[in-house]
Amino acid sequence: MDWNIDTKLSTITLDNCNTNDAMIEKIKDKLPLNTLLKDVALLHMRCCAHILNLIVKDGLEVVKDGAERIRYSVAYWTATPKRKEKFEETAKQLRISCTKNLVLDCPTRWNSTYKMLDVAILYEDVFS
């Protein structure tokens, strides 16, 4: 309030959390509502990155079993240089170009799971 932020505020971007919803209600009581864009309708903007993260996590839950099997296979084939060599030999026998290295994901980071699956799909027949 000392800096007059209350008169310069248009939106607050937060993730989707009940605590944040409650806090927005408390903030509304402290602000001059006539200075806000569209009155109060745009004050609480949901974080798109958080929403996207929730959507992707829900989608990955659907394919969880398959992703885990691929994760274990990638971990197995990348554990030693000898196994990696055997994997590449099998790919060559199946006439599959080994242009990309297998990538093991970090299960808590969905973008790494995407990268793992993106590469693994190229070698689907080798895994079989």
Side-chain angles (χ1 to χ4, degrees), residues 8 10 14-15 17 26 29 34 42-43 67 70 76 87-88 100 108:
K8 300 172 180 107
S10 60
L14 301 165
D15 64 6
C17 172
K26 291 189 179 293
D29 295 338
N34 60 339
L42 299 179
L43 178 62
I70 292 169
Y76 176 84
F87 185 88
E88 289 171 357
K100 293 187 176 184
T108 58

Short mmCIF file of all heavy atoms in Angstrom, two decimals, residues 8 10 14-15 17 26 29 34 42-43 67 70 76 87-88 100 108:
data_model
loop_
_atom_site.label_atom_id
_atom_site.label_comp_id
_atom_site.label_asym_id
_atom_site.label_seq_id
_atom_site.Cartn_x
_atom_site.Cartn_y
_atom_site.Cartn_z
N LYS A 8 -2.22 0.28 -9.27
CA LYS A 8 -1.52 -0.07 -10.51
C LYS A 8 -1.73 -1.53 -10.92
O LYS A 8 -1.26 -1.96 -11.95
CB LYS A 8 -0.03 0.20 -10.35
CG LYS A 8 0.29 1.64 -10.05
CD LYS A 8 1.75 1.80 -9.71
CE LYS A 8 2.06 3.24 -9.41
NZ LYS A 8 2.30 3.53 -8.04
N SER A 10 -3.46 -4.92 -12.20
CA SER A 10 -4.53 -5.33 -13.12
C SER A 10 -4.85 -6.81 -12.96
O SER A 10 -6.01 -7.19 -12.96
CB SER A 10 -4.15 -5.03 -14.57
OG SER A 10 -2.99 -5.72 -14.93
N LEU A 14 -1.53 -16.81 -10.52
CA LEU A 14 -1.23 -17.81 -9.50
C LEU A 14 -1.57 -19.20 -10.03
O LEU A 14 -2.35 -19.34 -10.96
CB LEU A 14 -2.08 -17.54 -8.25
CG LEU A 14 -1.92 -16.18 -7.58
CD1 LEU A 14 -3.06 -15.92 -6.61
CD2 LEU A 14 -0.59 -16.10 -6.88
N ASP A 15 -0.99 -20.21 -9.40
CA ASP A 15 -1.39 -21.56 -9.78
C ASP A 15 -2.75 -21.88 -9.18
O ASP A 15 -3.34 -21.07 -8.45
CB ASP A 15 -0.33 -22.60 -9.42
CG ASP A 15 -0.09 -22.74 -7.94
OD1 ASP A 15 -0.82 -22.12 -7.15
OD2 ASP A 15 0.82 -23.48 -7.56
N CYS A 17 -4.88 -23.35 -6.71
CA CYS A 17 -4.78 -23.84 -5.34
C CYS A 17 -5.87 -23.17 -4.52
O CYS A 17 -6.10 -21.97 -4.67
CB CYS A 17 -3.39 -23.49 -4.81
SG CYS A 17 -3.12 -23.79 -3.08
N LYS A 26 -9.46 -12.19 -0.17
CA LYS A 26 -8.98 -11.24 0.85
C LYS A 26 -8.37 -10.00 0.19
O LYS A 26 -8.56 -8.88 0.66
CB LYS A 26 -7.98 -11.90 1.78
CG LYS A 26 -8.61 -12.95 2.68
CD LYS A 26 -7.63 -13.43 3.71
CE LYS A 26 -8.24 -14.45 4.62
NZ LYS A 26 -9.29 -13.96 5.48
N ASP A 29 -10.86 -7.37 -1.02
CA ASP A 29 -11.36 -6.49 0.04
C ASP A 29 -10.45 -5.29 0.28
O ASP A 29 -10.89 -4.27 0.80
CB ASP A 29 -11.53 -7.27 1.34
CG ASP A 29 -12.60 -8.34 1.25
OD1 ASP A 29 -13.49 -8.23 0.38
OD2 ASP A 29 -12.55 -9.29 2.07
N ASN A 34 -12.50 -0.15 -8.60
CA ASN A 34 -12.71 0.65 -9.80
C ASN A 34 -11.43 0.86 -10.61
O ASN A 34 -11.48 1.27 -11.76
CB ASN A 34 -13.34 1.99 -9.44
CG ASN A 34 -12.46 2.80 -8.50
OD1 ASN A 34 -11.59 2.26 -7.82
ND2 ASN A 34 -12.71 4.10 -8.45
N LEU A 42 -10.88 -10.06 -14.13
CA LEU A 42 -9.56 -10.51 -14.60
C LEU A 42 -8.49 -10.47 -13.51
O LEU A 42 -7.32 -10.66 -13.80
CB LEU A 42 -9.10 -9.66 -15.78
CG LEU A 42 -9.99 -9.70 -17.02
CD1 LEU A 42 -9.42 -8.79 -18.10
CD2 LEU A 42 -10.14 -11.11 -17.54
N LEU A 43 -8.89 -10.22 -12.28
CA LEU A 43 -7.88 -10.10 -11.22
C LEU A 43 -7.09 -11.39 -11.04
O LEU A 43 -5.87 -11.39 -11.05
CB LEU A 43 -8.54 -9.70 -9.90
CG LEU A 43 -7.57 -9.61 -8.71
CD1 LEU A 43 -6.52 -8.52 -8.97
CD2 LEU A 43 -8.32 -9.33 -7.42
N ALA A 67 4.57 -46.44 -20.14
CA ALA A 67 5.73 -45.57 -19.95
C ALA A 67 6.72 -46.19 -18.97
O ALA A 67 7.93 -46.11 -19.17
CB ALA A 67 5.29 -44.19 -19.46
N ILE A 70 8.64 -48.93 -20.74
CA ILE A 70 9.66 -48.33 -21.61
C ILE A 70 10.80 -47.79 -20.77
O ILE A 70 11.98 -47.98 -21.11
CB ILE A 70 9.03 -47.23 -22.49
CG1 ILE A 70 8.08 -47.87 -23.51
CG2 ILE A 70 10.11 -46.40 -23.19
CD1 ILE A 70 7.21 -46.89 -24.26
N TYR A 76 17.60 -50.51 -18.72
CA TYR A 76 18.34 -51.76 -18.93
C TYR A 76 19.35 -51.60 -20.06
O TYR A 76 20.53 -51.93 -19.91
CB TYR A 76 17.38 -52.91 -19.22
CG TYR A 76 18.09 -54.20 -19.54
CD1 TYR A 76 18.54 -55.02 -18.53
CD2 TYR A 76 18.33 -54.58 -20.87
CE1 TYR A 76 19.22 -56.20 -18.81
CE2 TYR A 76 19.01 -55.75 -21.16
CZ TYR A 76 19.45 -56.55 -20.13
OH TYR A 76 20.13 -57.71 -20.43
N PHE A 87 22.17 -53.47 -28.22
CA PHE A 87 20.95 -52.79 -28.68
C PHE A 87 21.17 -52.25 -30.09
O PHE A 87 20.33 -52.44 -30.98
CB PHE A 87 20.59 -51.66 -27.71
CG PHE A 87 19.29 -50.98 -28.05
CD1 PHE A 87 18.10 -51.46 -27.55
CD2 PHE A 87 19.26 -49.85 -28.85
CE1 PHE A 87 16.89 -50.83 -27.85
CE2 PHE A 87 18.07 -49.21 -29.15
CZ PHE A 87 16.88 -49.70 -28.65
N GLU A 88 22.30 -51.60 -30.31
CA GLU A 88 22.61 -51.04 -31.63
C GLU A 88 22.77 -52.13 -32.68
O GLU A 88 22.34 -51.97 -33.82
CB GLU A 88 23.86 -50.17 -31.54
CG GLU A 88 23.61 -48.87 -30.77
CD GLU A 88 24.87 -48.09 -30.48
OE1 GLU A 88 25.99 -48.56 -30.83
OE2 GLU A 88 24.75 -47.00 -29.89
N LYS A 100 19.52 -41.73 -33.05
CA LYS A 100 19.31 -41.07 -31.76
C LYS A 100 19.61 -42.03 -30.62
O LYS A 100 19.30 -43.21 -30.70
CB LYS A 100 17.86 -40.59 -31.64
CG LYS A 100 17.52 -39.48 -32.60
CD LYS A 100 16.13 -38.93 -32.32
CE LYS A 100 15.85 -37.75 -33.23
NZ LYS A 100 14.55 -37.14 -32.91
N THR A 108 9.56 -37.34 -12.63
CA THR A 108 8.87 -36.16 -12.09
C THR A 108 8.89 -34.98 -13.06
O THR A 108 8.29 -33.95 -12.79
CB THR A 108 9.51 -35.71 -10.76
OG1 THR A 108 10.89 -35.43 -10.98
CG2 THR A 108 9.34 -36.79 -9.70
#
